[in-house]
């Protein structure tokens, strides 16, 4: 949808809690001006749903997801954070067994900090809307 959009600085909300196969595959790939990902509330990932989602977003340094880290170990997020900022933070749901292992086991860059939270979230931007302010 936005792949290669180098002028995109703020991603739209992605409020879906149920994902279809490949639904966000490469959605923001190559969006080099993006620094913060939209909050991703889905607790279960579908097949390849996050594959390459932020691949090449070289300034991206903040991601929060509702899914537990175990969802990222099933091939549902191949290269999703490849070639992002070398340092950053990801917030994951810790309501499952506490995170253990290396960040790279789950596609998280090695220089990123993992923050565990039972209800992760980022500031959510309002959905786009049009308001008629005319008196006519």
């Amino acid at each position: 949808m936005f792949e290669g959009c180098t002028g995109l600085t703020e991603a739209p909300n992605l409020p879906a809690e149920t994902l279809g196969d490949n639904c966000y595959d490469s959605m923001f790939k190559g969006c080099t001006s993006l620094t913060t990902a939209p909050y991703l509330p889905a607790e279960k990932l579908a097949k390849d749903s996050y594959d390459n989602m932020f691949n090449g977003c070289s300034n991206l340094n903040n991601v929060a997801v509702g899914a537990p880290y175990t969802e990222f170990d099933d091939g549902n997020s191949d290269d999703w954070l490849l070639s992002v900022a070398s340092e950053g933070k990801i917030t994951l749901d810790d309501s499952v067994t506490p995170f253990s292992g290396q960040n790279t086991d789950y596609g998280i860059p090695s220089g990123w900090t993992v923050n565990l939270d039972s209800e992760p979230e980022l500031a959510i931007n309002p959905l786009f809307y049009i308001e008629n302010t005319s008196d006519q």
Side-chain angles (χ1 to χ4, degrees):
M1 181 179 278
F2 300 101
E3 183 175 356
C5 186
T6 58
L8 184 69
T9 58
E10 189 173 304
N13 288 335
L14 299 174
E17 294 182 14
T18 303
L19 304 179
D21 293 353
N22 303 92
C23 63
Y24 293 144
D25 188 348
S26 301
M27 180 178 267
F28 299 104
K29 184 176 182 180
C31 293
T32 55
S33 296
L34 194 62
T35 58
T36 300
Y39 172 60
L40 304 170
E43 295 178 5
K44 179 136 180 72
L45 303 185
K47 180 179 181 279
D48 303 326
S49 54
Y50 287 177
D51 284 5
N52 292 295
M53 188 173 187
F54 300 107
N55 185 342
C57 294
S58 54
N59 287 302
L60 183 70
N61 62 16
N62 193 5
V63 176
V65 296
Y69 70 91
T70 52
E71 286 294 306
F72 295 88
D73 197 25
D74 293 331
N76 299 325
S77 56
D78 293 339
D79 297 330
W80 77 302
L81 293 175
L82 185 68
S83 300
V84 294
S86 59
E87 294 181 357
K89 177 180 81 171
I90 183 167
T91 303
L92 299 168
D93 185 342
D94 73 346
S95 62
V96 210
T97 309
F99 178 81
S100 62
Q102 299 298 313
N103 292 358
T104 53
D105 291 345
Y106 307 100
I108 302 166
S110 60
W112 281 40
T113 304
V114 176
N115 180 36
L116 299 175
D117 190 330
S118 59
E119 295 182 26
E121 61 183 64
L122 286 174
I124 297 177
N125 299 317
L127 296 174
F128 177 79
Y129 72 96
I130 298 173
E131 179 179 344
N132 182 359
T133 58
S134 169
D135 290 337
Q136 298 177 2

